[in-house]
Amino acid sequence: MSFNRFRCIRSAAANGAKALQYRSSAIGRRYISGDAPKVLPDIEPSRLEVTRTNTPGELPPSSQLLFGRTFTDHMIRVSWTEAEGWSVPRIEPFGTINLNPSATVLHYAQSLFEGLKAYRQPNGTITMFRPDMNMKRMNSSAQRLALPTFDGAALTEVIKELVRLDKNWIPKEPGHSLYIRPALIGTNGLLGIQPPSEALLFVICSPVGPYYPKGFKPVPLYGTTEYIRAAPGGTGAFKLAANYAPGVVAQKSAAQAGYVQNLWLHGPEHYLTEVGTMNLFIVLKGSDGVVELVTPPLDGMILPGVTRDSVLALARNHVAGTKRLDGLPEQIKISERPITMAEVISASKSGQLVELFGTGTAAVVCPVDKIGYLGSDVHIPTGPDGMGPISKPLWKELVGIQTGVVESEWNVVV
Amino acid sequence: MSFNRFRCIRSAAANGAKALQYRSSAIGRRYISGDAPKVLPDIEPSRLEVTRTNTPGELPPSSQLLFGRTFTDHMIRVSWTEAEGWSVPRIEPFGTINLNPSATVLHYAQSLFEGLKAYRQPNGTITMFRPDMNMKRMNSSAQRLALPTFDGAALTEVIKELVRLDKNWIPKEPGHSLYIRPALIGTNGLLGIQPPSEALLFVICSPVGPYYPKGFKPVPLYGTTEYIRAAPGGTGAFKLAANYAPGVVAQKSAAQAGYVQNLWLHGPEHYLTEVGTMNLFIVLKGSDGVVELVTPPLDGMILPGVTRDSVLALARNHVAGTKRLDGLPEQIKISERPITMAEVISASKSGQLVELFGTGTAAVVCPVDKIGYLGSDVHIPTGPDGMGPISKPLWKELVGIQTGVVESEWNVVV
């Protein structure tokens, strides 16, 4: 029955544009073969089909690179149907995604994505940073939307092929990288709201320059109480398309008030949750002089960020003595716990607030210098070069790993 | 750098996919002409361009009509850019929407939609039901997502043209109609999360049969506390794509527990908010014998439904004596107020719960016979034919208006 539909799409291509006519429905179709359920194919890297572009592009000069504006020559496409499972993975020239106007991604946001980076190491090797974490989260997001899951290690192999094919698009300058954007969308052309019976996984890549070409620049946050990013029972812990568009007006309103990002506050207690599209860390100095590194817990509202996890792991390794980091105090209390604006303000007033920063794939670490909150500004200390005393050694180690200066099993060779 | 990228897209076109030809980027472009800001074009029905299909389809028999599965021959497309405003509106053969794989609708759910119906009246006239309400809400949704707004009356004129052109697709059988689905999506091919500088408004139509071909069928609801549909500061009051995909797993989990729809409960008090994708009404009988028609208030979490508004208006007109409805008690207290599960359970126990129903464009009125709540079922009375004593006269009037049996200014002649 899919056949009819795809025949129509092909005829559409021939005519330029034409009716997609669903003569029959894919709803409720299941493959039944005797008593044994058929095991449907997963993503299979050994079956990869590659079609190279005839018109390769050229990497623009570093000065012209802006996040997510330039894309490489090729992309991955793997389609899925409820009846047939995952198709053969394909690497093809970068090109349009052609959807039925009734495709569920367009109407109901059946869509999720990931973001990770590939780095060119000093010795020429190309590595990706912790792709297993992205694959795990991508599958978790897929389950939350009743979209199909897949073998993350298999997709990683296909992504490696794509990165190898487009490796000339990874800039050679230090601090540059290739941003990799996998996405999974529901493509059924049926307006009923239900689990998609057809989906498309695709991956595109964009060369990016350093986040801080001119040194760290702390950002002022707007403590947002009018808009939310997430709520209990919602989707804040998943990397869903649906979590992002609603934040745009909040960001605009923060910008109009003179701030750069939203600090998303939750509940009447104004718990700090995230910063813009980053996780959040707060550093406090206790009355005993011990430094506490606080980040909100993964309570269902917080995105389980790869950089968040990496910062926590580096800090824990330092404290455990597995891998000491220069510049950090020997003892650090590491807390995944809720924290309110009242506590941050009190710490700021008493001089016990050491620093506050966001973490994410793009910036790695983003220092904060103030929070506009209920009409006044809460001052946040920042170090002489813009970054605080705890985040800086963590940032240095993390960037060292990503760029190959520090060896780590987190780097996966492409 | 955009150039290289779009050249890739064009090369893809040669291979079967169709081209999006962005010769230059719209990012940050603004039309500046001396001191006076240029007034950008709105949607202009007088400039409508129509391209008819060469391969018209055929309306399937009524028995084969399922919601949102079959589409008519044509569709509307109107594109928008930040620099140029709204394009000439076009009616074209129904065909695919070709997007850059980095289009923001695919990654960040920059998308919203509407749903309304056109009816074939006994005298052959075709009418739409309260399209002004949908246009108003569509613009309100657009503002919430920083997508462009437009002249709703103008789009209504273009939709009328589409309905006239495809009028053979409106089934002639009683209770049938043409479901009209306008949608607006962000189409920028830029991965930054920001207000789109390019968008596409499109409208597709699908013939539909009656919601209750075999008489009313009350549904059991699952009182949902694990998942939310909306929260204060969120987007529940807007018809955004982002509100729908996250509900699919909740619906699946309700179905697995033997219920048909989710009853979305809010907060520790378990306020009743909506039913599946419908608004919600509860009818109570006070100790003074007066009937109270309750619906949750438009507090930012509730979608301002057209059927909700129509039911309230009909009930108010009845009470005011403007237009009495047979079968309704003379006196009805009409309340837009919060209501908790505790109040519903207490009314159910004391015999003061008269009925509970959902309202929406698809079902008009959907009676409920029980609510599964924290492990047990709350019984809801239903009338002998499945519908309650208050909803039935309201439903009858509303359907009478929509199908032309009752005259009303709510009907807009196509």
Side-chain angles (χ1 to χ4, degrees), chain A residues 9 12-13 15-25 27 51 53-61 64-73 75 93-102 105-113 143-146 169 179 181-185 189-196 202 204 206 226-228 231-235 240-252 277, chain B residues 1-2 4-5 7-9 11-12 15-20 25 27 53 55-58 60 64 66-73 75 77 92-102 105-113 143-146 169 179 181-185 189-196 202 204 206 225-228 231-235 240-252 277:
Chain A
I9 293 176
N15 293 343
K18 131 88 210 128
L20 297 179
Q21 308 206 347
Y22 296 91
R23 299 297 171 187
S24 59
S25 157
I27 308 168
T51 310
T53 181
N54 294 321
T55 54
E58 219 169 274
L59 177 65
Q64 286 177 30
L65 290 178
L66 271 181
F67 173 71
R69 201 173 95 177
T70 305
F71 294 93
T72 66
D73 283 332
M75 66 185 291
F94 185 96
T96 61
I97 291 178
N98 302 341
L99 294 167
N100 191 301
S102 55
V105 61
L106 301 178
H107 299 263
Y108 307 131
Q110 286 182 322
S111 172
L112 58 95
F113 68 97
Q143 282 185 312
R144 181 63 181 84
L145 286 191
W169 286 88
Y179 180 81
R181 167 59 63 95
L184 175 57
I185 60 176
L190 298 160
L191 291 183
I193 301 171
Q194 60 204 347
F202 64 95
I204 54 179
S206 172
E226 319 88 291
Y227 297 103
I228 59 166
T235 58
L240 306 188
N243 294 337
Y244 292 84
V248 171
V249 291
Q251 206 281 327
K252 266 178 82 173
T277 58
Chain B
M1 40 170 71
S2 285
N4 284 324
R5 175 162 144 229
R7 192 175 53 183
C8 288
I9 293 177
S11 86
N15 295 336
K18 175 172 160 43
L20 294 181
S25 159
I27 313 168
T53 180
T55 54
E58 219 169 90
Q64 285 177 28
L66 271 179
F67 172 72
R69 199 175 91 176
T70 306
F71 295 92
T72 68
D73 283 331
M75 66 185 289
R77 294 179 196 242
E92 298 178 353
F94 185 95
T96 59
I97 290 178
N98 303 338
L99 295 168
N100 191 302
S102 54
V105 61
L106 301 178
H107 299 263
Y108 307 131
Q110 286 182 322
S111 171
L112 57 96
F113 67 97
Q143 281 184 311
R144 182 61 181 83
L145 286 190
W169 287 88
Y179 180 82
R181 168 60 63 95
L184 175 57
I185 60 175
L190 298 163
L191 292 184
I193 301 171
Q194 60 204 348
F202 64 95
I204 54 179
S206 172
T225 53
E226 316 88 291
Y227 297 103
I228 58 165
T235 58
L240 307 189
N243 294 337
Y244 292 84
V248 171
V249 291
Q251 206 282 327
K252 267 179 82 173
T277 58

Side-chain angles (χ1 to χ4, degrees), chain B residues 6-7 12 74 188 198 263 307 370 413-414:
Chain B
F6 296 128
R7 192 175 53 183
H74 299 91
N188 298 39
E198 296 171 13
L263 171 61
T307 313
K370 68 177 175 186
V413 173
V414 170

Side-chain angles (χ1 to χ4, degrees), chain A residues 185-234:
Chain A
I185 60 176
T187 54
N188 298 39
L190 298 160
L191 291 183
I193 301 171
Q194 60 204 347
S197 57
E198 296 171 14
L200 175 69
L201 192 159
F202 64 95
V203 184
I204 54 179
C205 299
S206 172
V208 285
Y211 199 83
Y212 298 111
K214 295 171 185 172
F216 300 116
K217 199 172 171 233
V219 299
L221 304 182
Y222 178 72
T224 303
T225 53
E226 319 88 291
Y227 297 103
I228 59 166
R229 189 197 81 90

